[in-house]
């Protein structure tokens, strides 16, 4: 096999795997989105009030206003879901200006496992069930 043939085959394999990964992530985001939509409906039905969520800087202290209303999913307030069922990672770069103006966060694709980077991964469905069980008293 020539170098050009090998390079073409390697590119074909890489493209195949990238496409498969993209399809898997798309399926995961769709399934996670359905879980979040169900959570929002159940939270409203249970009378769990939405609140304005804040974000914390990657390093340092303090919280920044986000203008996003929803529910914190974890006690450390690092993840949230807004009233439209969108998933948010509630952290941002530190900024003096953000302390005054707040921050604009972009929703993230919902994953079926949360906390994998922290080493304490949990199923999203378990996180949502625990949050609903905590009721209105949860942060």
């Amino acid at each position: 096999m020539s170098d050009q043939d090998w390079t073409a085959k390697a590119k074909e394999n890489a493209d195949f795997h990238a496409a498969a990964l993209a399809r898997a992530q798309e399926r995961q985001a769709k399934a996670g989105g359905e879980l979040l939509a169900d959570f929002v409906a159940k939270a409203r039905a249970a009378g769990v009030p939405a609140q304005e969520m804040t974000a914390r800087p990657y390093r340092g202290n303090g919280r920044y206003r986000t203008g996003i209303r929803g529910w914190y999913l974890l006690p450390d307030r690092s993840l949230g879901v807004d009233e439209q069922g969108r998933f948010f990672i509630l952290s941002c770069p530190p900024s003096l200006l953000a302390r005054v103006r707040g921050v604009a966060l972009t929703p993230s694709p919902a994953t079926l496992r949360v906390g994998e980077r922290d080493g304490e991964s949990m199923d999203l469905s378990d996180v949502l069930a625990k949050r609903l069980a905590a009721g209105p008293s949860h942060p």
Side-chain angles (χ1 to χ4, degrees), residues 38-51:
D38 184 56
F39 168 82
V40 169
K42 287 179 179 176
R44 286 186 175 138
V48 180
Q51 58 185 304

Side-chain angles (χ1 to χ4, degrees), residues 44-67:
R44 286 186 175 138
V48 180
Q51 58 185 304
E52 183 170 343
M53 295 187 290
T54 59
R56 64 180 177 200
Y58 297 145
R59 53 181 199 280
N61 295 321
R63 303 289 298 183
Y64 303 154
R65 290 176 290 115
T66 64

Side-chain angles (χ1 to χ4, degrees), residues 26-99:
E26 209 172 283
R27 283 191 305 273
Q28 188 178 123
K30 182 178 181 201
E34 290 169 359
L35 288 172
L36 293 175
D38 184 56
F39 168 82
V40 169
K42 287 179 179 176
R44 286 186 175 138
V48 180
Q51 58 185 304
E52 183 170 343
M53 295 187 290
T54 59
R56 64 180 177 200
Y58 297 145
R59 53 181 199 280
N61 295 321
R63 303 289 298 183
Y64 303 154
R65 290 176 290 115
T66 64
I68 301 168
R69 290 192 55 77
W71 299 268
Y72 292 107
L73 299 180
L74 298 174
D76 69 0
R77 298 179 176 202
S78 60
L79 300 176
V81 59
D82 73 357
E83 294 176 303
Q84 289 75 44
R86 297 176 298 180
F87 184 72
F88 286 88
I89 299 171
L90 299 168
S91 62
C92 59
S95 163
L96 289 176
L97 191 56
R99 286 196 186 262

